[in-house]
């Protein structure tokens, strides 16, 4: 793959959300180990927790609350690997 597929997770250092951001990063890197070329953790302030794919905001805590990993995986998949099955993560919530 020659295209850069970059995910950025911006998190609030004041709120100590690094562990949450790192855990989400690990989930994404495990799921998209061959599709992603970069995953970037970006320290921020003011309660920020935003996930971007190739510069596009796909999740913003201020608007949507904290994400479940499966929701973010679906959003990332739709942008970097639309045909990829996510297994049980593709099942609708009951």
């Amino acid at each position: 793959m020659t295209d850069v597929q970059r995910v950025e997770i911006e998190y609030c250092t004041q709120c100590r959300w690094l562990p949450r951001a790192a855990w989400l990063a690990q989930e994404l890197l495990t799921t998209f180990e061959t599709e992603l070329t970069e995953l970037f953790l970006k320290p921020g302030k003011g309660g920020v927790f935003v996930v971007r794919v190739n510069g596009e905001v796909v999740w913003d805590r201020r608007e949507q609350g904290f994400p479940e990993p499966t929701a973010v995986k679906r959003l990332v998949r739709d942008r970097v690997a639309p045909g990829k099955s996510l297994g049980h993560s593709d099942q609708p919530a009951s």
Side-chain angles (χ1 to χ4, degrees), residues 10-55:
E10 184 177 3
Y11 64 94
C12 180
T13 57
Q14 297 166 314
C15 301
R16 304 217 182 280
W17 287 339
L18 173 59
R20 185 185 296 258
W23 177 67
L24 183 57
Q26 176 184 321
E27 288 287 314
L28 293 174
L29 287 170
T30 300
T31 301
F32 301 103
E33 59 187 8
T34 60
E35 292 86 2
L36 295 180
T37 54
E38 298 178 1
L39 195 142
F40 182 65
L41 295 177
K42 180 179 179 182
K45 294 183 179 181
V48 68
F49 196 92
V50 175
V51 180
R52 295 177 183 89
V53 178
N54 299 323

Side-chain angles (χ1 to χ4, degrees), residues 75-89:
L75 293 166
V76 171
R77 185 264 321 267
D78 291 348
R79 285 152 182 86
V80 303
K84 183 177 180 77
S85 169
L86 296 177
H88 69 277
S89 295

